Amino acid sequence: MIPPLPDIQDYQISPESGFLPAESPLTRLPDPYYDPWEDIATNLRSLIVGKEIRRAVDDLPVLSTSRLRTEAEWRRAYVVLGFISNSYIWALEPAKDRLPRCISIPFLEASEHLEVPPVVTYAACCLWNFQPIYPAGPIDLVENLTTLCTFTGTMDESWFYLVSVAIEARGAPTVPLMIEAMQAARRGDSPTVSECLTVFAERIMDLRELLGRMTEHCTPHAFYFRIRPFLAGSKNMAEAGLPHGVLFEDGSGTEKYRQYSGGSNAQSSLIQFFDIVLGVQHRPTGVKKETVPVKLEGHAPPPRHNFIEEMRSYMPGPHRRFLEHLASVANIRDYVEANPGNPTLATAYDECLRALSSFRDKHLQIVSRYIVIMSQESKMKLSSASSAPTTTAAVTPSTKILNIPGTPVGLAKGEAAKKGLKGTGGTKLIPFLKQSRDETMEPATGAWSKTSSKFESFQARSRGVTPLSTPRSSSPISGFAVRSCKVNDFEDMPAARIGVGLAGDWEIDDVGGICHY
């Protein structure tokens, strides 16, 4: 018996908002009992700037989570406690490797309830950390969104999170769209599959354009030196000041250090949904395609032990289970390969791969500006500070470094002083991201090769190889906003592809990453 396709509503996924909550996140916990948490969250920037954050946290009472009633309240508690925890760890030097009971106990309980790790994840930064300014307005418009919690209180930080929120919202309709495509493949309805794939490619390109808006209100300097250090986790962070990880005190006396990766857009269920539904397989970094058997009929390739698979454990439990269910029934790639005589279907599928590859290229461009260049600046600052002549015996090298604007601290300091860029975990960045991008085009049928130029794509279209043959009036998805797909418009691409991944999970000699997609 063929297993059923997933019902998205069984996994806390909305047809309208996708992996974002169906209702906007709470701006504050309604029970005054939790005011001590909320008061710190509200004044987080002031407490950090005034170097009072650790004292304020140490003075907190141990509050019970038993008064959290709804999922929205649990999510709000998780976001607040996560931001407080990372502030406690990273706001002052040296980094703090122990969380006091007043934070660690409720944070662990909230994490267990929501099935996410006790760290600032993508869900804490983005999925559960926004409000529409005008409730009746669109949530895929960044200008209509505001954040609920930030470390720095800056527009740069809010914009950084909100671009991802808008991407989640604008990409939400692709979830029911592609499940419809999978259903159509089961009944052999090639026109519907082709139409769904065409609209899917168009929407991915919309997301690429939206991702490109990151530079409008988030500067590379603010991100690298002010925001990114707070997003670090506790895994492989010795140079940043956490050689063992973080110990969550619970009063038992038997606590052990824990290590977690920090917030990364690799934890976005939407982006992993794209890979799964198209049958894109990611291997461990450095593993060649020929060394891993990938052909598997009837569903997506099995999970491999790699960074992308690891990041699923940082997703909310229902979303993680949805992806697991989807991977067991995904059939689009197999259906396309089983119909080699259908050029419309093949080209529509390849358009999706090109669009997703283009999306990843756009990400690499952004990261090179926000991480690679800034890390080089960080090293130059340290080098110039350490080599500057000393005018008085009272001025030490460390004092001089601290007096330089944009001085690297925490994560950035470890990168500048030691082994290069390091994110929240320990994955080699450049090889990983280049391989992820290249793997996206591996399933291409050949109608468009991954090296095909704009002119070659035009030639394919001129021969009638077009992904759209179903009239709009008969389209099963006619309510979906559609425009001309431009998956071959790569004029803004750099000549050399240089890659990196929000405070991802990286370690590399010369470069590092923000939000890995």
Side-chain angles (χ1 to χ4, degrees):
M1 180 178 179
I2 300 177
L5 297 178
D7 183 340
I8 61 175
Q9 295 184 356
D10 291 341
Y11 298 97
Q12 297 182 9
I13 303 170
S14 163
E16 294 78 25
S17 57
F19 297 98
L20 297 172
E23 297 182 358
S24 298
L26 295 176
T27 59
R28 190 178 180 93
L29 289 169
D31 192 337
Y33 175 76
Y34 295 110
D35 282 353
W37 295 349
E38 293 287 0
D39 290 344
I40 288 184
T42 300
N43 296 286
L44 200 55
R45 178 183 180 277
S46 297
L47 291 170
I48 291 172
V49 172
K51 301 182 180 181
E52 293 292 321
I53 181 63
R54 288 178 182 166
R55 182 197 60 77
V57 172
D58 289 336
D59 289 343
L60 282 173
V62 179
L63 301 181
S64 170
T65 59
S66 63
R67 299 173 70 156
L68 299 172
R69 304 300 183 190
T70 65
E71 285 300 294
E73 291 181 16
W74 280 102
R75 292 167 183 163
R76 174 62 183 173
Y78 175 78
V79 170
V80 167
L81 293 169
F83 273 77
I84 293 175
S85 295
N86 270 34
S87 299
Y88 189 89
I89 293 169
W90 295 113
L92 303 173
E93 290 199 301
K96 197 75 169 178
D97 66 351
R98 303 173 72 93
L99 279 178
R101 296 173 63 248
C102 57
I103 287 295
S104 64
I105 292 177
F107 194 22
L108 290 170
E109 291 173 354
S111 299
E112 182 179 6
H113 178 89
L114 296 168
E115 301 178 77
V116 286
V119 68
V120 175
T121 59
Y122 176 84
C125 290
C126 303
L127 298 184
W128 304 333
N129 189 34
F130 74 96
Q131 270 284 311
I133 297 173
Y134 299 103
I139 59 173
D140 65 345
L141 181 64
V142 192
E143 288 83 357
N144 189 44
L145 298 173
T146 185
T147 49
L148 303 177
C149 287
T150 65
F151 298 103
T152 64
T154 62
M155 180 62 176
D156 300 83
E157 185 178 358
S158 291
W159 191 261
F160 182 73
Y161 302 149
L162 295 177
V163 167
S164 290
V165 175
I167 287 174
E168 293 283 342
R170 193 168 299 179
T174 64
V175 180
L177 171 77
M178 292 310 293
I179 289 180
E180 166 61 23
M182 292 166 60
Q183 188 64 58
R186 286 189 170 189
R187 61 178 184 266
D189 184 354
S190 294
T192 296
V193 177
S194 298
E195 177 73 1
C196 290
L197 287 171
T198 298
V199 178
F200 188 37
E202 293 167 351
R203 185 49 60 99
I204 293 175
M205 290 307 292
D206 281 340
L207 303 185
R208 177 184 181 276
E209 294 175 9
L210 186 53
L211 178 62
R213 297 193 61 194
M214 182 66 71
T215 58
E216 292 181 15
H217 295 292
C218 180
T219 67
H221 189 279
F223 174 78
Y224 187 81
F225 290 105
R226 298 183 182 180
I227 302 167
R228 186 169 177 259
F230 285 107
L231 299 176
S234 54
K235 184 177 181 180
N236 295 340
M237 298 299 292
E239 273 81 33
L242 299 180
H244 308 294
V246 173
L247 189 146
F248 290 71
E249 296 180 351
D250 60 13
S252 67
T254 60
E255 307 95 335
K256 296 182 179 180
Y257 281 93
R258 302 171 180 234
Q259 295 187 359
Y260 298 105
S261 297
S264 166
N265 278 10
Q267 297 160 11
S268 166
S269 300
L270 179 69
I271 305 303
Q272 292 211 22
F273 166 80
F274 292 168
D275 282 332
I276 293 172
V277 79
L278 292 174
V280 175
Q281 181 183 11
H282 295 288
R283 299 178 295 277
T285 303
V287 175
K288 303 297 183 181
K289 180 180 180 181
E290 296 75 17
T291 63
V292 180
V294 299
K295 181 61 179 174
L296 195 66
E297 296 183 2
H299 51 83
R304 303 291 178 185
H305 178 67
N306 59 35
F307 174 71
I308 292 178
E309 293 294 334
E310 179 188 345
M311 288 298 98
R312 287 193 195 172
S313 65
Y314 289 76
M315 299 174 183
H319 297 174
R320 179 170 62 250
R321 287 188 288 276
F322 167 75
L323 295 181
E324 293 168 353
H325 186 170
L326 186 74
S328 70
V329 296
N331 60 357
I332 298 299
R333 177 177 176 179
D334 287 335
Y335 184 76
V336 173
E337 292 176 347
N339 290 273
N342 189 331
T344 299
L345 177 66
T347 306
Y349 176 72
D350 284 0
E351 266 201 77
C352 292
L353 298 178
R354 293 272 310 206
L356 186 55
S357 179
S358 176
F359 181 91
R360 286 188 159 119
D361 267 326
K362 172 58 71 175
H363 166 252
L364 298 183
Q365 294 176 52
I366 292 174
V367 169
S368 67
R369 292 183 60 185
Y370 281 68
I371 301 297
V372 179
I373 295 174
M374 298 314 300
S375 68
Q376 294 169 352
E377 177 182 323
S378 176
K379 290 181 180 180
M380 291 175 61
K381 286 176 182 284
L382 274 178
S383 177
S384 61
S386 60
S387 61
T390 304
T391 57
T392 65
V395 180
T396 65
S398 61
T399 304
K400 289 183 290 183
I401 293 174
L402 290 174
N403 286 335
I404 297 175
T407 293
V409 295
L411 179 59
K413 182 178 180 181
E415 292 169 343
K418 293 288 184 179
K419 300 180 180 179
L421 287 175
K422 178 173 289 188
T424 56
T427 299
K428 292 183 178 180
L429 184 58
I430 289 294
F432 167 72
L433 290 180
K434 285 186 175 180
Q435 181 174 314
S436 296
R437 180 202 58 210
D438 295 342
E439 288 165 345
T440 302
M441 286 304 301
E442 284 181 354
T445 64
W448 286 349
S449 72
K450 57 180 153 183
T451 59
S452 62
S453 67
K454 194 173 183 181
F455 175 70
E456 292 168 333
S457 298
F458 171 78
Q459 288 182 319
R461 290 179 182 273
S462 67
R463 293 193 303 269
V465 182
T466 171
L468 184 58
S469 60
T470 307
R472 291 295 183 198
S473 59
S474 62
S475 169
I477 46 171
S478 56
F480 211 105
V482 177
R483 60 168 175 79
S484 174
C485 185
K486 299 181 180 179
V487 298
N488 302 295
D489 291 349
F490 300 133
E491 290 91 343
D492 58 341
M493 291 298 174
R497 288 168 167 167
I498 187 167
V500 276
L502 191 116
D505 201 83
W506 329 114
E507 179 179 359
I508 195 71
D509 288 342
D510 295 318
V511 290
I514 51 173
C515 40
H516 164 65
Y517 282 99

